[in-house]
Amino acid sequence: MQHNDNRSFAPRERLDGEIAVITGGTGAIGLATARRIAALGARVVLLQRSAPETAAPALAQLAGNGHRALQASVTDSAALRAAAQTVEQEMGAATVLVHSAGFTRPVPAADLDGLSDALIDEIFATNWRGSFAAIRAFAPQMKATGDSVVVNVSSIAAFTGLGSNLAYAAAKAGTDALTRALAKTLAPQVRCLAVSPGVVDTAFVPGRDAAFNERVGPTIPLQRVGTADDVAAAIVACCTSLRYATGSVLIADGGRHLG
């Protein structure tokens, strides 16, 4: 879909005709985002590490038609390039890229030895390099459309320093820096934004169960932990309402970062 003659960046309510690629698309936040984006008329591509057929239950939840799943780990740059080529050739150029693939493992900040070199490398490969590699793969076609948007899922750990572990916090700080840098270098054809959740009720962080959520919820100013759909709504706002924004990091954490 070409936008070159209509790059006013005015807010819009629909995403009809857009092609939206979501890394980690079958994860909680990725799928919640896919549901919202599909309901607004876009065709959605779910990128995932596992075989495409395992995404059938996720695809069945999406309104409209023309959606598909592709296998591509964000740690495999060649697979990302191949996926980008498939999307452009078989569906049309991507105009929305949501990076929600991620990985972490709880390690207390004081446990310096618990954060092994291997775990650090794995966290950075998935959370930072994976984000960069996905954008690198899709940037040419997104720039060519003239009006595209990248939304990175970050974390308030990027600036509070408190999260599942120090490497994760550092990787997400890198995500915020990446978002700002590419907002400048890819403008005006591609806007780059990040959404920063706090505690979200998903299985993303091992060991955070219902008891954890019940304990933490009352300590948050808005009195509950976040849901995947809370984050998805913020991501969609970046694509629709917040179209005159780029390089911004939007906090959607119920006020948890306030301490």
Side-chain angles (χ1 to χ4, degrees):
M1 183 177 183
Q2 295 298 315
H3 298 276
N4 295 309
D5 298 325
N6 187 33
R7 201 165 60 208
S8 69
F9 303 111
R12 60 190 180 198
E13 296 182 359
R14 300 279 305 171
L15 293 170
D16 298 298
E18 306 294 319
I19 306 294
V21 177
I22 303 176
T23 72
T26 53
I29 290 173
L31 184 52
T33 303
R35 284 196 294 264
R36 283 187 171 267
I37 286 178
L40 295 181
R43 283 184 293 156
V44 174
V45 182
L46 305 179
L47 290 192
Q48 58 171 30
R49 284 179 300 171
S50 50
E53 47 270 21
T54 64
L59 291 170
Q61 299 179 38
L62 306 184
N65 48 50
H67 314 300
R68 67 181 299 179
L70 291 174
Q71 185 173 13
S73 169
V74 295
T75 59
D76 184 343
S77 292
L80 287 170
R81 285 193 293 270
Q85 187 174 29
T86 298
V87 170
E88 186 169 30
Q89 291 177 349
E90 299 182 11
M91 299 181 70
T95 51
V96 175
L97 174 62
V98 177
H99 184 71
S100 66
F103 162 75
T104 194
R105 188 181 301 151
V107 179
D111 182 10
L112 304 189
D113 292 326
L115 199 58
S116 67
D117 289 353
L119 180 57
I120 292 169
D121 290 348
E122 189 175 4
I123 286 170
F124 269 85
T126 302
N127 294 289
W128 192 89
R129 196 187 79 205
S131 177
F132 174 77
I135 296 168
R136 179 175 59 193
F138 283 91
Q141 60 187 273
M142 296 182 78
K143 286 193 75 169
T145 69
D147 185 356
S148 297
V149 61
V150 172
V151 185
N152 292 314
V153 178
S154 185
S155 169
I156 61 169
F159 59 90
T160 65
L162 303 172
S164 50
N165 63 62
L166 291 178
Y168 182 77
K172 290 303 188 180
T175 295
D176 291 355
L178 176 71
T179 300
R180 295 187 183 101
L182 294 185
K184 288 194 283 189
T185 60
L186 298 180
Q189 297 93 344
V190 183
R191 298 183 302 113
C192 292
L193 296 151
V195 169
S196 293
V199 178
V200 183
D201 184 13
T202 71
F204 178 66
V205 181
R208 289 190 180 175
D209 55 11
F212 175 87
N213 292 340
E214 288 175 16
R215 186 172 71 253
V216 171
T219 70
I220 296 172
L222 296 191
Q223 296 286 294
R224 66 169 175 82
V225 301
T227 65
D229 198 50
D230 290 327
V231 185
I235 292 168
V236 172
C238 293
C239 304
T240 55
S241 303
L242 303 178
R243 292 207 350 111
Y244 193 58
T246 193
S248 301
V249 179
L250 180 69
I251 302 168
D253 71 341
R256 180 169 168 81
H257 70 283
L258 301 171

